Amino acid sequence: MTRQLLTGNAAAAWAARLARVDYVPAFPITPQTEIIETLGRWIDAGELAARLVTLESEHSMVTAAGAAAATGVRVFSATSSQGLLYAMEMLYAVAGWRAPFVLVNVSRGIAAPITLEPDHDDVLAARDSGFLQIHCSTCQEILDSILLAHRLAEDSRVRLPVIVNFDGFTLSFTREPVEIPDGDAVDRFLGPYDPENVRFLASKPISQAVAVMGGGPYSYFRYQMHLAAEAALGVYDEVAAGFAAAFGRRWEAVETWHCDDAEIVFVMIGSFATKARDAVERLRAVGERVGLVRPRLLRPLPVAALRAAVAGKRGVAVIDQNLSLGRGGVLHAELASALYGQPDAPPVLASFVGGLGGRDIGLEEFRRMAAETRAAADAGRAPPPRLLYTSGELRELRKLQGIAHAERAELRRAAPASSDPEAS
Amino acid sequence: MYRIRLHGRGGQGIKTASRILGSAFFSEGFEVQDAPRYGAERRGAPIFATVRAAREPIHERGVIARPDLVLVGDATLVPVAAAGVLLGMAEHSVLLVASDDPPEVWKQRLRLAGPVRTLPASDAERGGLATVGTACAAAAARLVGVIRRGSLESAVRAELADLEPVVVERNLERALDVFERFAALEGSVREGPEPQILALPDPEWIDLPHEPARTSAPDIFGGLTSVEVRTGLWRTLRPVVDREHCHRCHWVCTTFCPDGAIRAAPDGTPEIDYDHCKGCLVCVAVCPAHAIRAVPEQEAERGAGEGAG
Amino acid sequence: MSETHYRRMQDLPSTHLLGSGTAMCAGCGGLQAIQVIYDVLGPKTVFVNAAGCMTLLSVYPFTPFQGSWLYTSMASAPAGAQGVRDALDLLVAKGRIPPEEDLDVVVLTGDGAACGMGLASTSGAIDRGLDFLYVCYDNEGYANTGQQTSPATPHAARTATDALAGGFAGEKKDLFSIWAANRPVYVATAVGAEPVDLARKIEKARGLSGPRLVIVLAPCPTGWGFDPAESIEIGRLAVATGVFPLKEWEAGRVVHTKVRRPRLPVERYLERQARFRHLFEPVRDEAALAAIQARVDAYWESVE
């Protein structure tokens, strides 16, 4: 075992290498391109016995990934944002093929407007597709989660593809210390790919992914995918226990920090959750009883573990780095539906939306979110949802709007000293 | 509420028939809901349509579980389980079949409690003109007794407006003729009893057990299961080989049959798989010796054994 | 002509591999061609399908194939073929399956997928030198959804979306030339009504490696408006009038495999189909008919 500084992308590539993936259909997109470039170099150097093929779009890439898995090989691929959405039709399709593989999504905000920086709108758009989802907050976690994901996907009780998500820039291009597991130990943990009976062989004709007419039969196939996804919760715990035994790192479906005696907890996923953990520790140091709940699995949603983590708390602040336009934060709504009517459910569930397009969330914002949630708990009433944004940010934006000749009455009324071109 | 189902094959005008009936009810002041149900676009495949008509706005939807009237434009569908022609027939339900066989024969054949009516083919229909859909709609209009002749006429004209005038006139002629023929049965179809929600049996809900993908993947583990689908039931005309005139040419008909339903016996005689032959009659058209002829299916059934493949 | 098993109709098998009982329309020209094609290719194949009429060849739990089948999506069948082909190659190379378990990969799509949204994935597959056969059954419209105009719809054809007046005002897309411009290994056109020509082309394609693409005209009784019994005759007339040239492309050279001299007037083909009836009734549209004839004449003048 060796501990090295690796970017998130490099950690992902290492995991695919250790998993001895056979096939890597690829298409470049910021911020994941390094993953496939790294794998390509290793393949060319003979260090990885796989085939990497560049398709002409992500829709085709995911088709090829599913088709190769449905033929009988271990498949790994990666995409992001616009690419994930371009493939969206095929995410649903290949999940229904029950041919497992691992797709890394390096999360990035979605157009429009187009950006390169991270948030979770892209990966959450796939939450209904049948792909399982694991969310990482460190580079170590990325490597480990991809290995876990292959095991999970390939389990007979599951046989669904898995998305492993990590944030662009904050993880993809950021180096952190990563323990690279021993190859033999990974071989023992993962084993070879077993296609079971979903494969193509001349001696065993099979018609795959055929049309199904009739609500009864169609419902059966869709319900079975759902039941498999739910069964994946139990399978995940087994797999994670096996991983911990082999490699000494325990990755729970839901991680908690300082929740036991917390009155107010944050709920957050992804790389910014470490910022929440940092804030929790600093707030604790000044006497605040706060904690952090960090779900790693979002599909299936670990409902029981989430309920247990927040049971009896006075207030919960869900911090969504995503925004369902017209509704609000996705995790907030999911948690609310999981908690409704449950005994010991916290009486106040506050929604905060921030971090879109990589917008930073400062320590002072965590402090204030905790404070507002506590005040709401005291008042016995959930606060209205808050979109995190400061007056300073708005001032800066006005300057940009001025340059862009945006039509705003406020700009025209601005004092001449602001050198606002609209003020003349 | 009147709950009416129409059954036929793609291409027979069953959807149009449902709209003629729906429009006729509508012009009589009823609230109406009419809808066709089919799989993909397939001429010859079974389809059905539903018509609901009531004095109040209609909220129920979908398949009609207990029809007051079932109209069957193609009698060959009756034995086809998947066509569901007899689904939900209750004591009060009336069945009307487009058939030259008399009603007593049908009633006995199907052992139905309720009345059976038949609609013999017109000479024009026997000659190939497709007005059976319109005829069914007209019969239904008279049987329910709340649709006047004028409403039927305007409905036919409205629904067939895109067709050539001579086709419209032929359909109208047929419709009005049928409307007159069923005068004695006017009003014999009544609005059936409303479903008694408390009396309905309990839905037998289960917790669907999780089955691993090796069982529950949408795959067919093997080949050639399609032969279990008897597409021979699509047929209204059957090709029959005249062995005396067949030249055993090796083998035009076997090559050109789109469904691969003709094979050559060792001596070169073509054998037609009547379980699957759809009656497209390509073989009749391509046979260089003109040794294959088309026989109406019902006639062929009566003369069983003739030219059997 | 190199070795071929198919010189005469008698060389075609009289029993067919493809199972009956499928839901294609009675008289389907596409299905008839696939009978010939499947007999030549055999069951050591996996057909990778894009959305279209033939998707309904297999509806759970029924399949007519003695080999294998994978439905993908409308736009990405060639990408599905890529995944299957690469995976089979990997399995054989790594000794995880014996070579006799290998399969030939065949893409089967209609003209809608081939000429429109499938062009990108086809282009990509050719760029990558994918070893596959692409069979496009061309019924000149989005037939499965009711015969709406597709890029392969011919000039003046009436369709569900060009239902009035002069029918479709555009021209049929030249898929053959588009594919050939991508420089694959083999491109051909064929029709089930000329089964020996079709069988030879499929046999030839089968013996080559790399991207091989065949367009098969599929006369469609439901969409084109003719009696199902005339399905073969319509196919023959398409060739005899010169409307549908039978040809092959290899290494930059185009060879016509069946040339009828003299050609029948295009009217003989058009007048049999309801989609062109407006050219004849209520009055003959001489200008439109002459334009269609001129276009066909110009094509043949350019190649002869």
Side-chain angles (χ1 to χ4, degrees), chain A residues 157 197 205 207-209 220 224, chain B residues 209-211 214 216 219-220 222:
Chain A
R157 295 163 285 179
N197 60 352
S207 289
Q208 292 200 40
Y220 170 83
Q224 285 296 338
Chain B
H210 168 224
E211 293 168 343
R214 61 183 324 119
S216 62
D219 296 335
I220 303 168

Side-chain angles (χ1 to χ4, degrees), chain B residues 9 55 90 117 130 187 206 228 230 250 296 305:
Chain B
R9 295 189 183 276
R55 296 293 181 187
R117 314 290 177 205
I206 56 163
E228 310 215 14
R230 310 256 148 165
H250 305 176

Side-chain angles (χ1 to χ4, degrees), chain C residues 72-197:
Chain C
T72 56
S73 74
M74 188 156 180
S76 63
Q82 183 80 51
V84 177
R85 177 74 270 146
D86 286 339
L88 286 168
D89 289 345
L90 283 162
L91 289 166
V92 171
K94 292 186 173 184
R96 305 220 292 251
I97 63 172
E100 55 268 24
E101 290 284 21
D102 198 3
L103 296 162
D104 288 335
V105 179
V106 182
V107 164
L108 178 69
T109 87
D111 53 281
C115 295
M117 67 173 88
L119 274 175
S121 57
T122 310
S123 157
I126 298 173
D127 290 347
R128 295 182 296 268
L130 179 65
D131 181 20
F132 78 123
L133 173 62
Y134 190 135
V135 174
C136 168
Y137 58 94
D138 182 1
N139 49 30
E140 303 193 324
Y142 292 117
N144 199 37
T145 44
Q147 200 69 18
Q148 293 82 27
T149 302
S150 84
T153 299
H155 180 73
R158 276 201 179 158
T159 67
T161 43
D162 281 292
L164 301 175
F168 176 56
E171 299 290 339
K172 184 181 178 73
K173 188 184 274 295
D174 185 359
L175 183 65
F176 180 89
S177 298
I178 291 170
W179 280 351
N182 279 265
R183 308 199 76 77
V185 163
Y186 178 76
V187 185
T189 61
V191 62
E194 301 290 345
V196 177
D197 179 76

Side-chain angles (χ1 to χ4, degrees), chain B residues 15-281:
Chain B
K15 174 180 163 185
T16 305
S18 71
R19 288 189 161 188
I20 291 171
L21 189 55
S23 295
F25 267 117
F26 189 59
S27 63
E28 293 293 352
F30 284 81
E31 296 290 307
V32 169
Q33 185 199 89
D34 61 50
R37 277 281 284 259
Y38 32 50
E41 294 280 325
R42 291 289 177 266
R43 183 187 281 183
I47 76 157
F48 68 93
T50 57
V51 178
R52 291 180 166 91
R55 296 293 181 187
E56 302 293 325
I58 297 169
H59 303 300
E60 67 180 54
R61 293 194 181 284
V63 289
I64 286 179
R66 286 188 61 167
D68 305 321
L69 170 63
V70 173
L71 304 144
V72 185
D74 188 326
T76 63
L77 282 177
V78 178
V80 178
V85 169
L86 302 177
L87 222 59
M89 295 290 287
E91 274 207 24
H92 78 283
S93 311
V94 176
L95 176 71
L96 178 116
V97 185
S99 168
D100 290 338
D101 290 345
E104 307 78 60
V105 168
W106 280 102
K107 207 171 153 80
Q108 200 200 16
R109 225 177 241 162
L110 302 176
R111 286 193 270 272
L112 288 173
V116 178
R117 314 290 177 205
T118 56
L119 181 62
S122 67
D123 291 331
E125 273 157 14
R126 286 190 204 94
L129 180 69
T131 56
V132 65
T134 312
C136 285
R142 200 67 195 258
L143 288 169
V144 298
V146 293
I147 295 173
R148 289 165 293 178
R149 186 190 158 96
S151 300
L152 175 65
E153 173 162 356
S154 355
V156 171
R157 288 195 186 284
E159 294 306 325
L160 300 186
D162 288 342
L163 300 183
E164 287 157 55
V166 58
V167 175
V168 177
E169 290 312 313
R170 294 234 188 89
N171 273 277
L172 193 53
E173 209 184 293
R174 176 72 167 139
L176 295 175
D177 177 63
V178 168
F179 191 78
E180 290 317 311
R181 281 172 190 266
F182 279 83
L185 291 173
E186 175 174 299
S188 60
V189 169
R190 281 180 283 277
E191 299 174 74
E194 289 303 308
Q196 297 302 301
I197 192 166
L198 293 178
L200 296 170
D202 193 53
E204 293 170 11
W205 284 352
I206 56 163
D207 290 329
L208 183 68
H210 168 224
E211 293 168 343
R214 61 183 324 119
T215 304
S216 62
D219 296 335
I220 303 168
F221 299 98
L224 272 189
T225 56
S226 64
V227 298
E228 310 215 14
V229 182
R230 310 256 148 165
T231 48
L233 289 162
W234 292 21
R235 224 170 35 233
T236 53
L237 289 165
R238 167 191 293 225
V240 176
V241 178
D242 179 347
R243 296 193 181 180
E244 282 184 23
H245 288 101
C246 168
H247 291 171
R248 291 156 187 72
C249 63
H250 305 176
W251 8 77
V252 170
C253 57
T254 63
T255 296
F256 289 126
C257 171
D259 287 87
I262 309 180
R263 56 171 22 195
D267 71 346
T269 321
E271 295 176 342
I272 298 177
D273 170 10
Y274 288 108
D275 283 340
H276 296 103
C277 163
K278 291 171 184 164
C280 71
L281 307 179

